[in-house]
Amino acid sequence: MPTIELTAADGHVLSAYTAGPADAKRALVVVQEIFGVNRHMRRVCDDFAREGYAVVCPALFDRSERGVELGYEAADVACGRDLRGTIDAGKTLLDILAAAAALPRGARRGIVGYCWGGTVAWHGATRSSAFAASVGWYGGGIAAAKAEQPACPVQLHFGETDASIPLADVEAIRAAQPGVEVFVYGGAGHGFGCEERGSYVPADAARAQERTLAFFAKHLG
């Protein structure tokens, strides 16, 4: 597996999955769900790599436990939530900045995240100036940080029937951030873009990915 070691600004060493051309002119930090850098996240990275992006996907759980790869059963969800709860958001920001620094020199950099990673991608846009564009898929913590101002263009994707992200939260984000692109997928729940989950909706996942790629093409070239 094409993995590298990253060193964050506080000295923490973490692993990361990489994909795509080393001389790419556009590049992405891909941010994991609460299930680690598992098979699904590696597939997401490989899909972006096939579109010509250099990709680095940092193992955010390495701050608590190295080598975490979870599935999508109830026990996995509980484990992932517990692990996420042990990690400070400020430290996670250091990890995504380390991942950004590992992307090809001179490439225009974006960030995209899913679930927990969707929130982290929002933080990457609002709490750093490292990225030229940010996309978040079903980030449950975005509403709580909706007043933070992004330093780059942002696009967000939500499922209409997501039990963990009520539509009232989505509307609050829209109201607070009129300059942010927000898409809601009717009938889709949390994790609708993950092919390994029961909530997977292929048509909505494909549409959200099409919009994500168009957004990055516009802002990263």
Side-chain angles (χ1 to χ4, degrees):
M1 182 164 37
T3 58
I4 60 173
E5 295 284 293
L6 307 174
T7 302
D10 64 347
H12 170 64
V13 177
L14 66 154
S15 65
Y17 181 81
T18 65
D23 60 349
K25 299 303 181 185
R26 53 187 184 173
L28 295 173
V29 173
V30 174
V31 194
Q32 65 173 73
E33 306 166 310
I34 60 167
F35 306 101
V37 183
N38 60 6
R39 181 171 57 187
H40 166 64
M41 292 311 307
R42 294 192 295 270
R43 183 195 64 77
V44 169
C45 292
D46 293 343
D47 285 349
F48 281 117
R50 279 191 286 272
E51 297 291 336
Y53 290 88
V55 178
V56 175
C57 183
L60 302 184
F61 280 158
D62 277 9
R63 285 193 176 267
S64 185
E65 181 181 338
R66 289 187 68 91
V68 175
E69 290 191 34
L70 300 173
Y72 295 91
E73 301 300 324
D76 297 305
V77 174
C79 181
R81 286 176 175 165
D82 287 346
L83 283 166
R84 180 190 60 188
T86 68
I87 300 173
D88 178 82
K91 301 295 187 182
T92 298
L93 184 63
L94 297 182
D95 294 346
I96 64 169
L97 293 178
L103 293 169
R105 186 183 299 273
R108 287 183 61 78
R109 302 180 301 192
I111 184 169
V112 57
Y114 306 81
C115 180
W116 176 36
T119 301
V120 175
W122 175 253
H123 293 164
T126 63
R127 302 178 184 181
S128 84
S129 58
F131 303 102
S134 172
V135 177
W137 292 44
Y138 31 83
I142 296 173
K146 64 183 180 295
E148 298 183 15
Q149 293 304 309
C152 66
V154 176
Q155 182 183 84
L156 301 175
H157 303 270
F158 298 98
E160 183 181 45
T161 63
D162 190 329
S164 62
I165 308 174
L167 282 178
D169 282 2
V170 178
E171 292 310 314
I173 294 166
R174 284 191 200 270
Q177 298 290 341
V180 169
E181 292 186 11
V182 178
F183 296 102
V184 177
Y185 299 82
H190 193 75
F192 67 83
C194 176
E195 77 286 354
E196 299 198 18
R197 302 181 75 160
S199 56
Y200 180 48
V201 184
D204 289 337
R207 184 65 176 127
Q209 181 69 353
E210 178 183 285
R211 286 168 166 160
T212 296
L213 289 170
F215 185 77
F216 282 138
K218 177 181 179 180
H219 296 291
L220 303 182

